[in-house]
Amino acid sequence: MKIIMLGAPGAGKGTQAEMIAEKYDLPHISTGDIFRANIKAGTELGNKAKAYMDKGQLVPDSLTIDLVMDRLSQPDCDGGYILDGFPRTIPQAVSLTKALRDRGETLDYAINVHVPDERIVSRMSGRRACSGCGQTYHMVFAPPKTEGICNKCGSELFLRDDDKPETVKKRLAVYHNQTQPLIEYYGKQRILRTVDGTKDMEDVFQDITNILGA
Ligand code: AP5
Ligand code: MG
């Protein structure tokens, strides 16, 4: 099964993708996580990406598309995957459609997690990410067992640089301009399914599994 996750920053794409990956045994490919891992490792790609991410802008398509295509050609993707945070521009979506078509493949679902803007900013300020394994928490909605420490690997949790309210507002504007048009793009391909992302995480996941099947 090949799935992409659509939705505004903070809608819960990563949270749901993680749960889907586990239930359906699919690799979870998050471009944001790949960029953050490169920033942490101090690679050239990471240094370039950081300049855009810190400002709430998108990393240019020229740096993003090849990176994802290369990742999708790895053997663990042969049985499908879940893409989280890609595509997020029309050129990225067109490249993905073409690459799949060349292999005689198509996407199965574009899951759009819908959350109105006014809920996003407060959600983001409560988010914490693990500095070790990248696991996501929320101080109110999904707290760790011990404050500030990851349940899975014991590393410290941190607030992402781009989760400050001013940057979140910029990311939302970028989302509406550049990513929201993908809703229509995948609607036309008849694979778009929209879920209400304001529900509890478990209820959102139930709605998604109803779409994907047991
Ligand atoms: P990326 O890391 O993809 O960020 P994003 O799309 O802005 O989305 P987030 O990860 O912030 O939110 P999410 O939807 O995953 O929500 P989460 O599950 O964490 O990208 C970061 C940057 O990298 C971009 O701004 C861009 O610069 C660059 N980039 C990445 N991909 C790119 C691409 N393809 N092209 C160009 N540039 C790219 O949930 C949010 C919080 O809410 C968490 O704390 C969570 O615990 C909580 N939560 C989740 N669900 C619920 C719920 N149902 N109820 C209550 N709380 C909830
Ligand atoms: Mg995410």
Side-chain angles (χ1 to χ4, degrees):
M1 192 152 51
K2 299 184 195 66
I3 306 165
I4 63 165
M5 302 298 293
L6 296 175
K13 301 180 296 295
T15 301
Q16 296 300 327
E18 183 86 35
M19 292 157 97
I20 297 166
E22 195 171 318
K23 179 173 165 77
Y24 297 91
D25 197 20
L26 295 169
H28 169 198
I29 301 167
S30 155
T31 38
D33 288 351
I34 294 173
F35 289 137
R36 281 185 288 278
N38 274 274
I39 291 171
K40 199 175 166 196
T43 67
E44 197 187 331
L45 173 69
N47 292 338
K48 284 184 186 160
K50 187 174 176 10
Y52 297 95
M53 290 167 73
D54 284 354
K55 284 188 237 155
Q57 296 169 355
L58 294 185
V59 178
D61 288 342
S62 56
L63 293 177
T64 308
I65 292 173
D66 290 349
L67 176 86
V68 175
M69 295 311 150
D70 180 60
R71 178 68 188 87
L72 297 184
S73 67
Q74 289 171 24
D76 66 325
C77 291
D78 286 351
Y81 44 78
I82 172 147
L83 268 174
D84 159 18
F86 183 96
R88 61 208 294 161
T89 64
I90 289 286
Q92 291 181 13
V94 170
S95 300
L96 180 62
T97 303
K98 276 194 196 139
L100 287 167
R101 196 187 294 141
D102 288 348
R103 295 181 213 166
E105 298 172 355
T106 50
L107 285 174
D108 295 291
Y109 296 104
I111 305 284
N112 175 34
V113 183
H114 179 73
V115 176
D117 286 11
E118 53 273 21
R119 296 283 279 269
I120 298 280
V121 179
S122 60
R123 232 189 226 191
M124 303 296 252
S125 57
R127 172 163 63 183
R128 295 294 180 272
C130 173
S131 56
C133 68
Q135 177 69 33
T136 298
Y137 296 89
H138 192 283
M139 284 159 69
V140 178
F141 306 119
K145 288 188 188 118
T146 309
E147 200 186 317
I149 301 293
C150 178
N151 294 346
K152 280 192 175 169
C153 76
S155 302
E156 268 184 48
L157 306 183
F158 70 100
L159 176 69
R160 270 170 47 180
D161 282 342
D162 58 350
D163 278 352
K164 296 176 194 123
E166 322 82 74
T167 316
V168 170
K169 282 181 194 145
K170 276 192 212 135
R171 286 163 64 199
L172 276 170
V174 167
Y175 166 76
H176 290 299
N177 282 329
Q178 292 182 259
T179 309
Q180 211 172 4
L182 299 185
I183 292 177
E184 194 185 338
Y185 181 86
Y186 287 109
K188 283 187 184 152
Q189 291 194 8
R190 299 185 176 279
I191 58 166
L192 183 76
R193 303 287 185 277
T194 296
V195 294
D196 177 358
T198 64
K199 295 184 184 176
D200 286 351
M201 290 169 202
E202 294 299 332
D203 293 334
V204 179
F205 185 56
Q206 184 62 56
D207 290 346
I208 293 175
T209 54
N210 288 345
I211 292 165
L212 302 180

